Amino acid sequence: QVQLVESGGGLVQAGGSLRLSCVGSGRDFSGRSMGWYRQAPGKQRELVAQMASGGSTNYADSVKGRFTISRDNAKNTVYLQMNSLKSEDTAVYYCYAARLWSGSRDYWGQGTQVTVSS
């Protein structure tokens, strides 16, 4: 069982920054790929950023150069630093932890709202 708790969302002006945090519990946190998804009103949930256990990263084209994913395995925490925010970034952001084996499942946090005003 894995539990993920996000924090750091809020209201910010366009051009501003926010840092999201996701604290995980459960076994083998350091061995999991971790990431962030988001879902805007009327849209499908989409992958924003992910980081493999070895540190490699992948970003959605829409956030490259503005968002940075990082992790602190000692704290069982994943971060998403969001800079130069745009109104299009408004969404609920969800932390996820990837399954460790094919017969298992991914895990999701409860979501944190990010609203970018203009």
Side-chain angles (χ1 to χ4, degrees):
Q1 178 65 47
V2 174
Q3 184 176 19
L4 304 172
V5 180
E6 304 101 329
S7 63
L11 176 65
V12 64
Q13 291 286 321
S17 298
L18 285 174
R19 189 193 196 196
L20 306 183
S21 299
C22 171
V23 179
S25 63
R27 298 184 70 254
D28 299 317
F29 179 91
S30 64
R32 297 180 184 270
S33 293
M34 303 291 295
W36 294 90
Y37 282 71
R38 68 186 181 187
Q39 187 166 22
K43 293 193 62 181
Q44 186 176 342
R45 188 176 298 186
E46 64 175 348
L47 177 66
V48 177
Q50 63 183 3
M51 175 175 280
S53 60
S56 62
T57 58
N58 181 234
Y59 296 92
D61 287 342
S62 60
V63 307
K64 285 181 179 177
R66 299 188 297 119
F67 290 12
T68 303
I69 187 171
S70 61
R71 65 194 296 169
D72 185 341
N73 289 331
K75 296 181 178 180
N76 283 183
T77 302
V78 180
Y79 305 95
L80 185 68
Q81 179 66 47
M82 305 185 295
N83 298 326
S84 301
L85 283 161
K86 306 174 180 179
S87 60
E88 305 94 278
D89 297 317
T90 295
V92 177
Y93 284 71
Y94 298 90
C95 180
Y96 87 93
R99 65 191 67 187
L100 292 175
W101 58 288
S102 63
S104 187
R105 54 156 288 182
D106 298 337
Y107 293 88
W108 298 89
Q110 85 286 351
T112 185
Q113 176 71 47
V114 172
T115 302
V116 183
S117 62
S118 58

